[in-house]
Every structure is written in C-alpha cells, then in structure tokens.
Amino acid sequence: MANRKEKTFRFIIVGGGIAGVTCVEQLSSQIPSADVALITASPHIKTVTNYRQVSKTLEEFDVEEQPSSVLEEKFPNLTVIHSAVKSLHTRSHSLETTDGRVFGYEKLCICGGGRPKLLTQENPYVLGIRDTDSAQELQKRLSKAKRIVVVGNGGIALELVYEVEGCEVIWAVKDKAIGNTFFDAGAAQFLIPSLETNKPEKDTPCKRPRYTTEEPAPGGSHTFTADRNARRQGSSSTEAGSALGPDWHEGIVLQGSEQGTRRVSLEYQCEVEKIFTSEELLNSPPQTLGHENVGSWPVYIKLTNGKTFGCDFVVSATGVVPNTEPFLHGNNFALADDGGLQVDDHMMTSEPDVYAAGDVCTACWEHSPMWQQMRLWTQARQMGWYAGRCMAAQVLSEPIELDFCFELFSHITKFFNYKVVLLGKFNGQGLGSDHELLVRCTKGLEYVKVVLSGGRMVGAVLIGETDLEETFENLILNEMDLTPYGEELLNPNIDIEDYFD
Ligand SMILES: Cc1cc2nc3c(=O)[nH]c(=O)nc-3n(C[C@H](O)[C@H](O)[C@H](O)COP(=O)(O)OP(=O)(O)OC[C@H]3O[C@@H](n4cnc5c(N)ncnc54)[C@H](O)[C@@H]3O)c2cc1C
Ligand SMILES: NC(=O)C1=CN([C@@H]2O[C@H](COP(=O)(O)OP(=O)(O)OC[C@H]3O[C@@H](n4cnc5c(N)ncnc54)[C@H](OP(=O)(O)O)[C@@H]3O)[C@@H](O)[C@H]2O)C=CC1
C-alpha cells in the first residue's frame, strides 16, 4: 500500500460537511504553506456563511452548498478529491478511495458525519432523511401520498409534522410528550396548539441560499387539523452527502397528494412492533387492522399500542449513526457506546495522528458540567474548527486548551415557527432529582423554563421572543447563587437584564 501512494499530504480531511470544511478552512488559514487535501464523497461542500456570535456561546449562521472550486480558489494549497474513502491504514498513514487512488497523510481528520438510524434497512417503504437526495425522495413520494407515518420524537419529526400539508400524518412517539430530545412535557404542551393552527405566511423567501440543479425535484390519540392554501416553490439536490440543516424543508415542497390541510394524529407512548407489506399481511395470520382494509395501502405499520395503520410510506426519524465503517477495518479505533469514534480533548482518536470531528465522533473528554454533545450543526462547526486548531498546534508544537465553546451547551433553532434557545442542562440531564424548575408560560407567546441546582442556574429552555438568552447564559456561566431571588427570577414585571447589571 505504502508504495502505491499517489501523493502524501501534510493534512487530509475526510468529509465535505460543516465539520470537514471548517477544519480545512482553519488549517489552511493557520498554515497556508501546508499541503491540505479534502476527500469527500459528496459533489458539493457545505460552508458556513453569515456567521454571527449572538452571545458568549450562542452562535447563528447560514449554510451554503457550494462547488468545491470556491474553497480551492480561496486556499491555493488545497486539493479537493471527490471520492469516498474505502479503507484506512493507520499504520502506513495512508488511505484508499473508491476510485482506486491511494494517498498518504501526516495528520488525518475524519469528518464523515452520520447516517439515519433507520427502523429497518430492508423495507423500501421506510425512508430516512439526511441529505438533499433523501429530502428530494421524500418530496417525490409525498406528492403522491395520502397518509404517512412518522416515527421518532426528535428534531426531524418535529420539523416534518409541522411542515407536511395535504397528507394525513400519523406521528408515533415513544414518550408521553412530543419532542423528547429538546423539551420536557411543559414545553411540549405549549407547542402542541401550533399543530392546530395555520402556518404563518412567509413574505420573505428563506434567507439561506441552496442549490437547484437541472433536474427539478419533483397510548392516547389526538388529532390536529389546520388549513392552508399557499404553496411554496423550490427545488434542491445533491448527490449522496452532507447532512441537511437549518431550514432544509424550506427548499422543498412538503405537499401530499391532497389539497391544503395539515392533519396530524398523535400516537403517544408506542413503538413499532412490525412493518408489513400488503402481500405479507395477506399471507400472515389475520391482524387487528381496525378500519383498515388489507390491500388498500402499500405498507402497514403495527404499533405496540395494538393499532395498525396502512400508509404510503413510513418516515424513520429515529436518530443518527456515526459513519465509521470505512475507517474501522484493520485499525484500532476506540468506539463510544453510540458508535462514534472516541475523541479526547484535542479531538484525537485512539489512533496516532488521526483526529475526528462532527457527527462521526463522540466527545469522550471529561465534559464541563454544563455541556453535552448533541449531533448538531453548531457542534459540527465548533468541533471542525477546534480540530483544525489542534492539528495545527501539534505540528507547530504550540500548546492548546479546550475551547470555551465546550463550556456551555447552547443551541438556537426554530420549532413550530417559534424561536427556541436551549442552554446548559436544559432538561436537567444527569441531575437526577437534584434540581428544581421555575417556569413562566404565556400561551401562544412564550415558554421560559429555568433549571436550578443548589440555587444556581444550570440550564434553560426559552421558547418565543423572550430576549433572555444573554442574561441567562451569564447567570449560568457566573454560577451565581440565585436563592435570594426565588421566583422573582421569572417575574415578567422585572427587567431581569437591569436587575443583574
Ligand atoms: C434533516 C436534518 C435537519 C437538521 N437540522 C438541524 C438544525 O436545524 N440545526 C442543527 O444544528 N443541526 C441540524 N441537523 C444536524 C446537522 O445537519 C448535523 O449535525 C451536521 O450537519 C453534521 O455535520 P458533519 O460535517 O459532521 O457531517 P455531514 O454533514 O454528514 O458531512 C459528512 C461528510 O462526509 C462525507 N463522507 C461520508 N463518508 C465518507 C467517506 N467514506 N469518504 C469520503 N467522504 C465521506 C459525506 O459525503 C459528507 O460530505 C439536521 C440534520 C438533518 C439530517
Ligand atoms: N432544529 C434542529 O436543531 C434539528 C436538529 N436535527 C438533528 O439531526 C439529527 C437527526 O434528527 P432525528 O432523526 O430527529 O434524531 P434525534 O436524535 O433528534 O431524535 C431521534 C428520536 O427518535 C427516537 N427513537 C430512536 N429509536 C427509536 C425507535 N426504534 N422507535 C421509536 N423512536 C425512536 C428517539 O428517542 P430517544 O431519545 O428516547 O432514543 C428520539 O426521540 C439529530 O442529530 C438532530 O439533533 C434534526 C432536525 C432539526
């Protein structure tokens, strides 16, 4: 293998998603003379644009899919190789791509992202959403669908059930409340009425630019219904590749085969028992199908609450698995319980000279008490950037400390058209019963939850235009004893910003 090396680069980064591209940018700016290669399976790369530091740890940015030439023009010492890594040989510091080329490296950073953790790989009626291709496939199938079942209770499910129109959506969640990865039951209750109301009209198009290509893209139960006539236009596409991100649904039309209504039926506290095709159902012993007729749908899904639903397809919005396979065989990577490549506080894996960042890795250093890993766009950027700095620091023999961004978990996003800010241990993660909650809620306007432990603020969920994020971030970081303030902390008549000035 060593003899076949076409070229040895000082740095190779694998993956053209946010983590990989940010790592390349950091390395190329810090050591402009170094030969850097970006090897990516996707035809386009993802770059961060309009980066804005909202507060000490909160950040917002747009994401653009761009041709890789943009990056090569910016960094003359960068070579972008569009191929997938087939195998890695850490002993000889080399890797082979699917087009049969072999490259050597001095330092490598793996930013291969993740893929959907599907309920089943085998069933063609079970879709996952990850990249633009899978989003287009969803759009295509949805345009002919009358009913779909969405399984999962995290980010994708929350976005999808709110956006899909013209098609009945059965939403099956394991928990007692919606959005378990981001919220508690109180926040879920605040958000639920949004499923019954119309989506607000958008007078400005989505500000995040995206690609268009030549080929236009074609327990208990509750039911929520909303009408809406306006349609959005758009299309976007890439080959297999990087994860979608903020506002991904704005570039495609999530419209079923019927006109203008959002109809979501929630099935709480249930999982999937079995998924059948029509033929399987006919050939197997009779099932409890309720009002469903065998043969009227291409696929049927039986839930653990005993109900079976026929539908056009199932969306498995059930999380992410790190993309580690091509890197493992013949090497000694330590893997975390979630399947990610273990990295230390310098983003180093267990193999010499191999770093990892983004969805593919699992942060295995001793975390700050207020930080946890979630596979998010912001963390992919932060890890890619920090990995680049660590790689540069090592070759330059400079010391480097864990970056401040890993002090406090912070995330800004949007669900059901509300701004959502999550800080620290926003769901009391890892605190057991050793915490108390303060909650302020105004229906339809805002939901504010503060998590206190030992009198100190350790986390917060802010839904709506609360304008509290910076003050709360400071209170968490300062570890101030808030016992004397008690419930006054959330008194809406007190300007909390002035209070703590
Ligand atoms: C539908 C959806 C919506 C999301 N919404 C949000 C959101 O609103 N906010 C948020 O913060 N996060 C969101 N996320 C999560 C976010 O997109 C990811 O956490 C982030 O993009 C991960 O970036 P990454 O660079 O680690 O991986 P990826 O973006 O997955 O990039 C991995 C790259 O590696 C390449 N690759 C993989 N294997 C190989 C190989 N063997 N050889 C060469 N190249 C390879 C791929 O082609 C790709 O370019 C969303 C994710 C999805 C799927
Ligand atoms: N706005 C944002 O910030 C968004 C972020 N994302 C990110 O994109 C990635 C992919 O999103 P998504 O797929 O929604 O992943 P998430 O990790 O957000 O959610 C997965 C959900 O599926 C549930 N689940 C897992 N296995 C099963 C199963 N077998 N049956 C039923 N439910 C199951 C999980 O429950 P449990 O937790 O109990 O395992 C969890 O509720 C995530 O990293 C997510 O954070 C996606 C969209 C929007």
Side-chain angles (χ1 to χ4, degrees), residues 178-249:
I178 61 163
N180 79 315
T181 52
F182 294 97
F183 310 119
D184 61 3
Q189 217 175 352
F190 171 83
L191 289 171
I192 275 282
S194 303
L195 286 178
E196 296 162 305
T197 52
N198 294 344
K199 275 189 280 182
E201 295 295 328
K202 291 205 171 69
D203 35 333
T204 48
C206 171
K207 64 181 163 47
R208 300 178 205 281
R210 58 199 70 243
Y211 261 96
T212 50
T213 58
E214 329 64 76
E215 197 57 43
S221 310
H222 285 137
T223 302
F224 309 98
T225 309
D227 287 315
R228 184 167 176 259
N229 296 318
R231 298 272 69 80
R232 280 192 245 107
Q233 302 289 319
S235 69
S236 71
S237 172
T238 82
E239 305 276 306
S242 317
L244 295 157
D247 301 336
W248 64 276
H249 41 78

Side-chain angles (χ1 to χ4, degrees), residues 117 119 129-130 151-159 172-175 179-182 246 248 270-272 316-320 359 374-376 411-415:
K117 188 182 85 176
L119 289 162
I129 304 167
R130 179 71 189 173
V151 181
N153 200 11
I156 292 182
L158 278 167
E159 295 191 329
V173 302
K174 284 203 300 197
D175 316 280
N180 79 315
T181 52
F182 294 97
W248 64 276
C270 61
E271 292 186 49
V272 176
S316 177
T318 40
V320 180
D359 280 8
M374 280 182 81
R375 290 190 161 87
L376 295 169
H411 184 46
I412 304 187
T413 186
K414 222 174 199 194
F415 288 119

Side-chain angles (χ1 to χ4, degrees), residues 385-419:
W385 173 75
Y386 179 59
R389 286 183 57 216
C390 288
M391 291 164 84
Q394 215 202 26
V395 301
L396 299 171
S397 303
E398 287 172 358
I400 183 160
E401 281 183 15
L402 188 66
D403 193 80
F404 182 74
C405 64
F406 302 109
E407 270 304 301
L408 174 66
F409 173 86
S410 54
H411 184 46
I412 304 187
T413 186
K414 222 174 199 194
F415 288 119
F416 295 7
N417 209 41
Y418 285 100
K419 175 178 168 183

